[in-house]
Amino acid sequence: MARRSTPPGQHRPVLLDEVLKILDPQPGQVVVDCTLGWGGHAAALLERVGPTGLLIGLDLDSSNLPRVKERLEAVGNAFRLHHANFAGLDGILGGAPGADMVVADLGMSSMQVDDPARGFSYARDGALDMRIDQTRGRSAAQVLATIPEEDLRQALLDLGDEPAAPRVARAILNAREETPIVRTAQLARIIQEAIGEPQWRLHPKPGTWKTHPAARTFQALRLLVNREMGNLGNLLRVLPWCLRGGGRAALISFHSGEDRLVKSAFRDGLRGGIYEVTSKDPIRPAFSERQANPRSRSAKLRWARLAAR
Ligand SMILES: C[S@@+](CC[C@H](N)C(=O)[O-])C[C@H]1O[C@@H](n2cnc3c(N)ncnc32)[C@H](O)[C@@H]1O
């Protein structure tokens, strides 16, 4: 069916079948998509809740909303879209009755990463911005201009798992004394020279070429600039108040630190009787999905079901 198709150049939403199986959307239910992106998960969920259901969708990047709106209008069922941070999901839902299900597919869409003007890509030169919400906050260039070396080193370790964090942090500080770091290619070069790995591929096959030496630093900076761990922590805190009794949440993370946060929030909620059941182990994309969409390789899906109120 044409309206279900994935937009040109885009992959099928990550772990779509698994998300639908876990959330099991039914006609008339209220579903929240915290991270609309291209609207792939949202469109599939909206179809299933039917004309009596409702989809509430959020994205921190307002430039996503017009395209998603068009895509969801083609489905034809009721939806509301918000340019908003999922950290404040409870406020967005306000006094509305809780949701039957909440999905969050964390991080960035490939469209955002591949757009050089957004400054996320070490492979395509652009201004070093990296803000998901371009209407506020400090760009990566502004953060790098003032961050103390120790804080940068720690962020590279904690958020990027960068084994050469001290060397990379020092190289960045040395470089910024010479000239401001304002372009992605400039930063990538500084890191590449500090690490000294000439061979890389955008999506390496296991055991072949390595990822770009700047990949870990770019990931750490993106998480830092957008306070992504803090946002996720807030979402996990308010999530139980956003769901009806028996409501389900499915969260897809792409970074070990994010997955640890989700895992421990669900585990604590289970122990505290807030959730009645949670996933034991993370669900990973099948081999075929990893082959078709290399960016899905690091995805981990965890879910939880709220106890009856
Ligand atoms: C991986 S994409 C989602 C893809 C989507 N599931 C689809 O099917 O197309 C993640 C999206 O989350 C958005 N995002 C990231 N952090 C957010 C936050 N704190 N609040 C709301 N949206 C956020 C990004 O702008 C991006 O569009």
Side-chain angles (χ1 to χ4, degrees):
M1 215 190 304
R3 70 183 190 195
R4 279 194 192 180
S5 69
T6 305
Q10 289 302 302
H11 294 290
R12 191 176 153 74
V14 171
L15 289 162
L16 178 63
D17 293 338
E18 292 81 354
V19 166
L20 292 175
K21 189 166 168 219
I22 287 160
L23 295 180
D24 189 25
Q26 297 296 320
Q29 290 191 315
V30 176
V31 44
V32 175
D33 185 344
C34 293
T35 51
L36 286 163
W38 271 98
H41 289 103
L45 290 163
L46 185 59
E47 276 187 33
R48 283 163 179 79
V49 297
T52 55
L54 172 68
L55 175 122
I56 300 168
L58 279 58
D59 204 297
L60 194 49
D61 182 350
S62 60
S63 67
N64 283 334
L65 298 184
R67 191 183 33 247
V68 176
K69 182 166 176 277
E70 205 174 304
R71 190 167 184 189
L72 297 183
E73 274 168 356
V75 176
N77 300 327
F79 64 88
R80 294 201 317 245
L81 303 185
H82 299 266
H83 172 217
N85 191 328
F86 57 57
L89 181 62
D90 52 342
I92 303 288
L93 299 183
D100 293 292
M101 66 204 75
V102 171
V103 63
D105 173 16
L106 302 167
M108 317 297 306
S109 66
S110 47
M111 180 188 52
Q112 289 163 316
V113 174
D114 291 344
D115 178 357
R118 302 299 301 267
F120 293 111
S121 174
Y122 46 78
R124 296 177 180 84
D125 186 35
L128 190 58
D129 188 331
M130 290 200 189
R131 287 169 304 156
I132 299 175
D133 184 351
Q134 292 188 293
T135 64
R136 70 194 72 194
R138 298 170 75 215
S139 68
Q142 289 170 318
V143 170
L144 278 190
T146 56
I147 189 168
E149 182 170 353
E150 175 53 23
D151 293 0
L152 179 58
R153 191 186 65 78
Q154 202 58 51
L156 296 181
L157 276 176
D158 295 347
L159 303 174
D161 300 319
E162 173 53 72
R167 223 181 324 150
V168 174
R170 180 89 297 264
I172 289 174
L173 264 85
N174 285 341
R176 87 179 179 198
E177 276 171 25
E178 300 291 318
T179 178
I181 305 170
V182 293
R183 307 286 302 179
T184 56
Q186 186 190 2
L187 177 61
R189 208 171 34 249
I190 293 165
I191 300 162
Q192 202 159 357
E193 281 169 13
I195 294 184
E197 269 174 19
Q199 292 187 326
W200 64 280
R201 265 180 78 110
L202 203 49
H203 298 301
K205 289 201 179 82
T208 58
W209 296 64
K210 295 178 180 237
T211 41
H212 192 290
R216 293 178 293 269
T217 296
F218 270 62
Q219 171 183 277
L221 266 180
R222 193 204 87 204
L223 289 163
L224 186 69
V225 163
N226 295 292
R227 303 169 198 272
E228 290 182 50
M229 302 300 275
N231 290 337
L232 176 59
N234 272 331
L235 173 65
L236 290 164
R237 254 189 300 284
V238 302
L239 193 52
W241 314 111
C242 299
L243 287 165
R244 290 180 206 267
R248 298 159 194 218
L251 271 69
I252 303 172
S253 58
F254 293 83
H255 172 252
S256 56
E258 288 174 337
D259 182 58
R260 273 196 299 277
L261 273 187
V262 178
K263 181 181 172 182
S264 68
F266 284 175
R267 185 199 53 217
D268 293 349
L270 186 65
R271 286 185 186 151
I274 295 171
Y275 295 115
E276 61 184 12
V277 54
T278 63
S279 45
K280 271 207 185 75
D281 296 312
I283 297 164
R284 313 291 304 260
F287 180 72
S288 54
E289 180 169 359
R290 299 201 304 271
Q291 288 281 94
N293 177 8
R295 278 190 174 126
S296 75
R297 277 183 325 204
S298 51
K300 287 185 181 169
L301 167 61
R302 293 187 186 268
W303 59 269
R305 193 166 73 221
L306 201 74
R309 290 202 194 274

